[in-house]
Amino acid sequence: MTKRLYIETVGCQMNVLDSEMVVASLRKKGYELTDNAAQADAILFNTCSVREHAEEKIYSALGKLRQVKRAHPEKIIGVIGCMAERDGADMIRRYPQIDLLCGPGELDKVPLLIDNAVKYGGDEPINVYARRDGMDVLVSVIDHGKGIPAEDLDRIFEKFYRRGKPDGRSPGTGLGLSIAR
């Protein structure tokens, strides 16, 4: 059975290109694009944190999806892009219907995050905390739900770590955020 994807892109022009890349990667996983969120198996919002109107639009859309998620818990709802990276923890608290968050530097992980949300999703969140300690990035994962196997966590964070070392990003660069519930 074909899976359907709805993606709404708001904000800067770069988000349009990012959305096209996400759609291409999900097509390889068997998704087809739909322009009707009600028909979608996965609903993604590619966001911008620079333009206030874009943020308001996404928060409004997420609020409307609360009832949809209750009626159809199998639907995957995700926020990707700058807003997800900047406001991620707050968004999960305010909108528990969100299944995944992914910052702009981690968009190649969206198919994996959707797979994990389908496999391991539930009512309990997975909290991911990351902070820099000198040249190292320290990541803590607190799973309040069914549990994500270690090999899947390794795949989620493989870009950050190679044999226990940071991936070579220069100090001071932003850390991408990838969370799946």
Side-chain angles (χ1 to χ4, degrees), residues 18-51:
D18 288 345
S19 289
E20 289 172 358
M21 291 190 310
V22 168
V23 168
S25 67
L26 287 169
R27 279 192 170 135
K28 291 178 185 173
K29 295 284 191 177
Y31 282 85
E32 71 178 31
L33 205 53
T34 180
D35 58 0
N36 184 341
Q39 295 176 352
D41 300 296
I43 301 169
L44 298 177
F45 298 100
N46 191 359
T47 62
C48 178
S49 63
V50 175
R51 301 179 183 200

Side-chain angles (χ1 to χ4, degrees), residues 11-125:
C12 66
Q13 196 62 27
M14 188 66 184
N15 284 2
V16 174
L17 176 62
D18 288 345
S19 289
E20 289 172 358
M21 291 190 310
V22 168
V23 168
S25 67
L26 287 169
R27 279 192 170 135
K28 291 178 185 173
K29 295 284 191 177
Y31 282 85
E32 71 178 31
L33 205 53
T34 180
D35 58 0
N36 184 341
Q39 295 176 352
D41 300 296
I43 301 169
L44 298 177
F45 298 100
N46 191 359
T47 62
C48 178
S49 63
V50 175
R51 301 179 183 200
E52 188 174 337
H53 178 70
E55 287 185 3
E56 292 168 3
K57 185 174 181 179
I58 295 307
Y59 284 134
S60 175
L62 287 169
K64 292 173 186 173
L65 287 173
R66 189 179 310 259
Q67 295 298 343
V68 172
K69 185 68 172 179
R70 282 192 189 128
H72 302 281
E74 72 283 0
K75 279 191 189 279
I76 302 301
I77 299 172
V79 179
I80 62 177
C82 302
M83 196 171 142
E85 185 174 63
R86 190 192 75 197
D87 299 336
D90 185 53
M91 290 178 82
I92 290 286
R93 276 192 298 276
R94 290 176 57 193
Y95 302 96
Q97 64 273 30
I98 296 173
D99 295 297
L100 69 92
L101 295 169
C102 185
E106 298 298 308
L107 295 177
D108 61 320
K109 301 282 190 264
V110 170
L112 174 64
L113 292 170
I114 289 175
D115 286 348
N116 284 345
V118 170
K119 282 193 238 178
Y120 310 113
D123 294 332
E124 300 300 325

